[in-house]
Amino acid sequence: IRPAALAASVVLLAGMTAAGIASAQMPGQMPGPMPRMEMPRTISVSGTGTVDATPDIARLSLAVQRRDVSMQVARDETVRVSKAFLALCKKLGIPENKIRTSGLTINPEYRWDEKTNQQVFTGYFVQRQLQVEINDLDKLGNVIEGAIDAGVNEVSPPALDSSKAKELNRDALAAATADAKANAERVASSLGVKLGAVRTVVANGAMPRPPMPMQEMRMAAAPMADMAGKSANHVPGEISFEGRVDAISAYVTAEPSQ
């Protein structure tokens, strides 16, 4: 091959290569439109359900507290009251496995003396926590009254529950599901569309809600003594189990009439 022919071949090959690259890049050509993704047609609703029940379980939290300059005196008095309460529970037929007692908590107490600008020891504070579960609510008033008489300083409001809590909670969820379904059907009907399949469901159960008439019983020993006669007539009322359901359903638009 002569030099001139070789040079022409190289130029021709280079031109073909450049043309190939240019055709591959196609700078003037825009990419085709992406397929349009249609948003899912859904209806989101919530439903609630409530089931009322008469409680048959009460849980009491109590505290025995004593103060004295002598730690031994405060401790012995706390232990005495605790034993008296345990004896009361045994007398009322409450099983031992339904009673829990904490260890003694002993803390020194001080007051600030403005004259000497320093803390002054005033005595010891001794406390023991008690918890009892009562499965016969006819005994609830007697337990509260007996605890007060024994020297218990603090009684929290009873936490009421039901031995059928699981079934009642499921009943509340079933009512919430029916409510969510009715809400979805009403929304679809109002929009003039047809309700389709359910896509997602989130069910949330709730703890039993205490009855409204519950009275606060956390008080000092003297006011508690005044309430002793009323405690025996304690009326537990009803507790409510609440459920909530969140659901998302598909819907389809009605076809136009011909």
Side-chain angles (χ1 to χ4, degrees):
I1 301 175
R2 290 179 299 178
L6 179 59
S9 299
V10 171
V11 171
L12 178 61
L13 179 60
M16 293 175 62
T17 304
I21 296 174
S23 63
Q25 292 179 343
M26 302 283 295
Q29 182 178 353
M30 297 297 293
M34 295 292 292
R36 185 176 180 181
M37 296 184 64
E38 186 176 354
M39 295 297 292
R41 300 177 177 182
T42 58
I43 295 175
S44 301
V45 296
S46 297
T48 57
T50 303
V51 175
D52 295 328
T54 301
D56 57 8
I57 297 174
R59 297 181 179 91
L60 275 178
S61 294
L62 312 94
V64 182
Q65 302 167 341
R66 289 295 184 271
R67 285 181 169 88
D68 200 276
V69 292
S70 168
M71 182 179 65
Q72 189 64 40
V73 171
R75 178 185 178 280
D76 290 347
E77 183 63 13
T78 302
V79 171
R80 182 192 68 78
V81 174
S82 300
K83 288 182 177 180
F85 177 75
L86 295 177
L88 167 70
C89 292
K90 183 177 181 179
K91 180 181 178 181
L92 293 174
I94 299 175
E96 289 186 4
N97 62 352
K98 299 296 182 181
I99 306 168
R100 289 188 301 172
T101 61
S102 68
L104 291 174
T105 301
I106 303 175
N107 293 310
E109 293 186 322
Y110 302 85
R111 65 173 178 84
W112 184 257
D113 191 322
E114 296 288 348
K115 294 182 179 180
T116 61
N117 236 11
Q118 62 183 2
Q119 289 184 332
V120 177
F121 174 74
T122 59
Y124 291 93
F125 174 74
V126 181
Q127 177 175 257
R128 167 167 280 171
Q129 299 287 339
L130 306 165
Q131 292 87 34
V132 57
E133 179 179 305
I134 304 167
N135 298 108
D136 181 0
L137 294 195
D138 290 338
K139 299 177 181 179
L140 178 57
N142 292 329
V143 172
I144 296 174
E145 181 180 357
I148 296 170
D149 292 340
V152 173
N153 302 76
E154 192 174 274
V155 180
S156 297
L160 302 179
D161 202 352
S162 172
S163 58
K164 300 178 181 179
K166 284 187 177 181
E167 292 81 358
L168 293 168
N169 197 37
R170 288 169 184 156
D171 290 344
L173 287 175
T177 303
D179 186 44
K181 181 181 178 182
N183 290 340
E185 291 174 345
R186 178 60 62 88
V187 172
S189 175
S190 299
L191 294 174
V193 297
K194 183 179 179 180
L195 194 64
V198 177
R199 296 200 171 187
T200 61
V201 176
V202 179
N204 299 300
M207 295 299 291
R209 185 178 60 190
M212 295 300 293
M214 289 293 296
Q215 293 184 348
E216 182 74 16
M217 285 179 288
R218 186 185 298 272
M219 52 192 74
M224 285 175 67
D226 296 335
M227 284 287 292
K230 301 178 183 178
S231 299
N233 297 321
H234 178 78
V235 179
E238 286 190 333
I239 52 176
S240 297
F241 290 82
E242 298 179 341
R244 176 187 173 92
V245 169
D246 300 313
I248 299 177
S249 301
Y251 73 89
V252 293
T253 55
E255 295 183 0
S257 56
Q258 301 296 330

